[in-house]
Amino acid sequence: MTTTPYPLTCTTKHGARRGLLALATLLLGTASLAAAAQDKDDELTLIVPPWPGVTVKSEIVAQILAPMGYDVERQEVSSTVGYNTLTTGDSDAFLAGWLPAQKDSYDAAMAAGAITDLGNNVTGARMGFAVPGYVYDAGIHSAADLAAHADEFDETIYSIESGSTISDMLNGAIDDDVYGLGDWDAMESSTPGMLSEVRAAEREQRWIAFYGWTPHWMVPEFDTHILEDPESVFGPDNGASDVKTVVRTAYAEANPNLTRFLDQLVFSSDEQSAFILDYSLNERDLDEVAHDWLVAHPERLAEFLAGVTTRDGEDAVAAVNASLQD
């Protein structure tokens, strides 16, 4: 006759309690092993173009994942090359999938089944015609208002690099005389070059129109306002943009714990603009910016890690918080 081990069959009060404790211990041990085994990889390779927003976000991810038992590698390549590396399996995730600006690369990777879209990691992102706060306060709220003040703006809109998708959108609008801008010039430069013009104009309280986007440090620094864009020059919904987290499909399937974390990693546009200003404009060290942001936002860290464990199945929030005190 087969007998059942005592702790599971004893009917005394204390024996039943010991039996339940033993069962609970067994189940917890099994759960811990399952958590440890659920992710195949202990390394995450991120695509990090030379943009301050994704640079800081990637460092935040690295500082969260290190005490959880994961290493983060970074590939400093353009977004176009990045989509190719996701397709070939040479990288794992990208935290700056801007749409519609990257639509062609994104669509090609999606069509190939190479990437899984985890949704936006930034809420409130926009791009379009922009003005500083003092110009907005004077009544310039829409791109349709620009032409009536051509002299004040010197019939010029400042923009970023020639040949960029943004530059093509702006030049197309001028060529098609959208908003009566047919006689205006697009003054194309680098992003720092464009923003140096904005700073000079602000210093003199001179009117200036430029290509703006959020999140970016230009928003708090210049009280930047992105104008309404009823003709959708910069995309539908007044230039509303998606900033997506995209993960290599095979990687997402093999690593559900990490993928859950990446799926829950979401910042507001104002949050990202603030840490971009801290890093890019104030030139603070990258590791300090990320560390200080995590220390200052424990509730956000808890949201990122809800239902997520360390790689060996332990409390992820506790592990990360302990590392932040070191």
Side-chain angles (χ1 to χ4, degrees), residues 50-277:
W51 308 333
V54 69
T55 298
V56 177
K57 278 189 296 191
S58 298
E59 177 64 19
I60 288 172
V61 167
Q63 290 192 20
I64 292 172
L65 291 183
M68 291 170 54
Y70 300 94
D71 291 325
V72 174
E73 297 292 329
R74 279 160 274 207
Q75 292 183 343
E76 297 181 357
V77 297
S78 70
S79 60
T80 303
V81 172
Y83 281 104
N84 289 335
T85 62
L86 286 168
T87 302
T88 60
D90 294 315
S91 61
D92 303 318
F94 183 33
L95 304 178
W98 277 78
L99 294 179
Q102 298 168 7
K103 186 176 185 303
D104 290 346
S105 296
Y106 171 89
D107 285 351
M110 285 293 289
I115 58 174
T116 295
D117 184 343
L118 299 184
N120 285 348
N121 64 60
V122 176
T123 58
R126 287 183 63 198
M127 63 181 186
F129 298 94
V131 295
Y134 57 90
V135 177
Y136 186 86
D137 291 343
I140 307 301
H141 296 169
S142 169
D145 298 330
L146 295 171
H149 300 271
D151 290 342
E152 289 96 322
F153 288 111
D154 197 25
E155 294 188 325
T156 301
I157 298 173
Y158 291 84
S159 185
I160 59 172
E161 294 84 356
S162 176
S164 67
T165 301
I166 299 307
S167 184
D168 291 344
M169 290 175 173
L170 177 57
N171 282 300
I174 291 172
D175 291 344
D176 294 339
D177 196 27
V178 179
Y179 302 127
L181 299 176
D183 293 329
W184 287 47
D185 293 320
M187 190 65 68
E188 297 164 313
S189 179
S190 64
T191 298
M194 179 188 76
L195 292 176
S196 70
E197 292 288 344
V198 177
R199 185 176 296 284
E202 185 199 40
R203 191 163 48 242
E204 301 166 8
Q205 294 291 286
R206 174 167 40 88
W207 282 31
I208 188 170
F210 57 98
Y211 167 65
W213 67 93
T214 181
H216 192 274
W217 62 255
M218 73 176 76
V219 178
E221 182 69 6
F222 303 128
D223 186 25
T224 296
H225 291 260
I226 298 173
L227 305 181
E228 294 179 10
D229 183 12
E231 297 297 326
S232 300
V233 169
F234 291 100
D237 300 322
N238 289 311
S241 297
D242 292 324
V243 184
K244 293 178 173 290
T245 298
V246 292
V247 181
R248 182 165 55 87
T249 298
Y251 187 90
E253 292 172 349
N255 300 284
N257 189 54
L258 264 175
T259 300
R260 178 167 184 153
F261 159 65
L262 292 172
D263 188 34
Q264 294 174 169
L265 186 79
V266 180
F267 303 89
S268 72
S269 182
D270 287 345
E271 284 175 331
Q272 186 161 320
S273 292
F275 62 61
I276 290 173
L277 184 146

Side-chain angles (χ1 to χ4, degrees), residues 3-23:
T3 59
T4 305
Y6 169 78
L8 299 181
T9 59
C10 179
T11 56
T12 66
K13 179 179 178 181
H14 295 295
R17 184 177 300 163
R18 283 196 298 271
L20 290 173
L21 287 172
L23 178 59

